[in-house]
Amino acid sequence: MKQNLTPQYTLHQMAYWAVAAAVVSFASAYLLAHGFPAAQVGVLLSCGNLLSCAVQPFLADRADRIGGNVLKLLVVGLTALSMVCFGLIGFLSLPRWLFGLMYLLGIFTFDAMMPLLNAIAVAYTGAGYRVNYGIGRGLGAFAFSLAALAVGKVMAKWGEGYMIPMALALLMVNVLVTLCYPNLSARRTGQAQERDCCSVPVFFRRYKWYCLSLLGVMFLAMFHAMTENYLIEIVSPLGGDSNTVGTALFIATIAELLVLLGFERLRQKIHDRLLLKLSGLFFLLKAVLLLFAPSIEAIYLIQLLQTVTYCFLSPTQLYYAQEKVHPADMVKGQAFITAAYTLGCAIGNFTGGQLLEHWGVTTLLVAGVGMAAVGMTVLLLTVDKGRRSPSVVKLLTQ
């Protein structure tokens, strides 16, 4: 076993998710403050998600086959592009159409890095380094909560203009951490060559129940993205502001951290398919409670359900793919489940913007109940069906 890269990988995850707290979770508040109607905000965010959804499977597949050094360059390149886009927004006076386009491209390049974080853990663990994925992802959630709290307070006190400089500083940390990873050989492995044989049509035929279950993940992502990105609109009728949003996100992700750090122990008691079913049930419960929430304090309490909604869904996606998909097709399995979640975020962002623009917050929350109900139903009907393959998850938890 070579050196322990868990501290470095954890810092990488923390920097990434801290940026996400700013540019994703506060995207609607930032864009609304710059004069974008809610419907246009939804279009921008959904287009960014759709672009990353289209690119993520390709990047994940290529990253697995081309080795560590090129993987590092991909991450650095995407981060640099994101910095350019957000830098233009933050420091230049742009026409509104160009402002929106730069934000869209910034979100796209940032989201496209998500599967590469998993690829880094797999690549370096396979090369003999120690990388604990659970610790990295758990402390990434902690960084998200701190960043959400800080950004919410800064925006409430000094305005939205400070969000972009904070995000740029964190993106630079992302670049520096990535460059410090050890160099790896770029040669392909035999398993990677085997993956090349599985085309997309063959994958859908071979794992049809797995692919159907991704619809459930997509609908839950629709609800989660819509209610999180438009949380400022949900709390406004109750007297909340951007500081309220930051506090709510802080509560949710602190609760999430406690579960993620003990997730491996939890998986020893509850299998992954049951965790997915439970996440669907609790997402539906959260949707109903949000619809009838009477106060800001109730919103804060509802955020504690993050421990059994997103916190069950997010890490379990990784392990569920490894249970259902043969190791020879693993990269595609991981890429498609990430793409399904991203596509759900895109649809949720677009739908949320349209609903807010034309029908208001109550209609948005009713639609959220419907999305959560469909996602839960699909998961209950599909996750126990189809083939199962030997898990290779030990690579990420050594």
Side-chain angles (χ1 to χ4, degrees):
M1 179 66 68
K2 301 180 182 178
Q3 72 184 88
N4 183 6
L5 294 180
T6 299
Q8 184 174 339
Y9 183 72
T10 298
L11 181 59
H12 197 173
Q13 287 272 4
M14 292 176 72
Y16 179 86
W17 288 106
V19 176
V23 301
V24 178
S25 295
F26 285 89
S28 60
Y30 185 80
L31 293 171
L32 288 169
H34 281 81
F36 286 84
Q40 290 185 13
V41 172
V43 170
L44 285 173
L45 296 179
S46 61
C47 286
N49 289 144
L50 286 172
L51 283 172
S52 61
C53 177
V55 171
Q56 278 178 359
F58 170 77
L59 285 178
D61 186 57
R62 295 299 301 170
D64 182 76
R65 289 185 271 144
I66 57 185
N69 297 332
V70 181
L71 175 59
K72 288 164 58 176
L73 292 177
L74 282 174
V75 174
V76 170
L78 288 171
T79 307
L81 287 173
S82 190
M83 291 178 69
V84 169
C85 293
F86 289 124
L88 291 173
I89 290 170
F91 299 106
L92 295 180
S93 179
L94 303 176
R96 196 163 80 173
W97 69 269
L98 185 57
F99 186 102
L101 178 62
M102 288 298 101
Y103 205 97
L104 183 155
L105 292 177
I107 289 288
F108 154 61
T109 51
F110 179 76
D111 278 352
M113 283 186 279
M114 187 182 299
L116 300 184
L117 291 180
N118 288 348
I120 285 174
V122 173
Y124 283 94
T125 302
Y129 294 89
R130 180 177 175 80
V131 181
N132 190 309
Y133 177 84
I135 291 177
R137 184 63 186 87
L139 291 178
F142 179 66
F144 181 98
S145 67
L146 291 180
L149 186 64
V151 172
K153 290 185 177 299
V154 167
M155 289 179 66
K157 188 171 184 178
W158 292 297
E160 73 285 347
Y162 287 88
M163 187 191 82
I164 293 298
M166 295 171 71
L168 290 174
L170 291 165
L171 285 168
M172 179 55 68
V173 173
N174 200 347
V175 170
L176 295 175
V177 172
T178 305
L179 291 174
C180 290
Y181 282 114
N183 290 329
L184 292 180
S185 171
R187 65 180 182 274
R188 297 183 179 184
T189 64
Q191 184 175 334
Q193 294 173 358
E194 186 179 356
R195 288 193 186 101
D196 295 345
C197 300
C198 180
S199 64
V200 172
V202 172
F203 183 92
F204 282 118
R205 290 197 300 270
R206 185 178 298 173
Y207 308 106
K208 60 182 180 180
W209 285 109
Y210 173 75
C211 293
L212 285 173
S213 70
L214 299 188
L215 292 174
V217 172
M218 185 186 75
F219 273 96
L220 295 183
M222 288 167 59
F223 164 74
H224 180 72
M226 184 176 70
T227 52
E228 183 171 280
N229 289 332
Y230 294 104
L231 188 58
I232 184 68
E233 299 292 333
I234 294 172
V235 301
S236 291
L238 302 174
D241 56 14
S242 60
N243 187 38
T244 305
V245 173
T247 303
L249 293 175
F250 177 80
I251 291 170
T253 47
I254 284 294
E256 177 186 339
L257 170 66
L258 299 177
V259 176
L260 286 174
L261 291 180
F263 193 74
E264 286 304 313
R265 186 173 298 177
L266 177 66
R267 291 183 64 244
Q268 295 173 5
K269 299 179 180 180
I270 307 176
H271 62 73
D272 299 323
R273 285 167 282 120
L274 180 56
L275 286 173
L276 282 178
K277 294 177 186 178
L278 290 174
S279 74
L281 288 168
F282 285 114
F283 265 117
L284 179 57
L285 175 62
K286 181 178 180 180
V288 173
L289 292 176
L290 278 176
L291 177 60
F292 296 105
S295 64
I296 295 298
E297 291 75 18
I299 295 291
Y300 291 156
L301 288 174
I302 292 169
Q303 290 296 90
L304 293 175
L305 286 174
Q306 187 89 337
T307 57
V308 287
T309 53
Y310 177 79
C311 195
F312 279 7
L313 179 66
S314 178
T316 305
Q317 293 178 57
L318 179 74
Y319 302 126
Y320 174 65
Q322 291 173 332
E323 178 185 353
K324 291 288 187 177
V325 178
H326 192 275
D329 302 319
M330 189 55 59
V331 171
K332 292 180 181 65
Q334 295 289 350
F336 277 117
I337 200 166
T338 303
Y341 187 87
T342 306
L343 179 60
C345 291
I347 298 173
N349 286 327
F350 176 79
T351 304
Q354 296 299 317
L355 292 173
L356 281 173
E357 184 77 10
H358 300 292
W359 291 284
V361 174
T362 300
T363 304
L364 178 144
L365 293 173
V366 171
V369 173
M371 293 171 185
V374 173
M376 177 200 70
T377 303
V378 172
L379 289 178
L380 289 176
L381 294 175
T382 58
V383 295
D384 287 323
K385 298 183 179 180
R387 62 177 293 172
R388 302 190 187 104
S389 63
S391 175
V392 293
V393 74
K394 291 181 180 179
L395 285 175
L396 293 179
T397 55
Q398 288 177 346

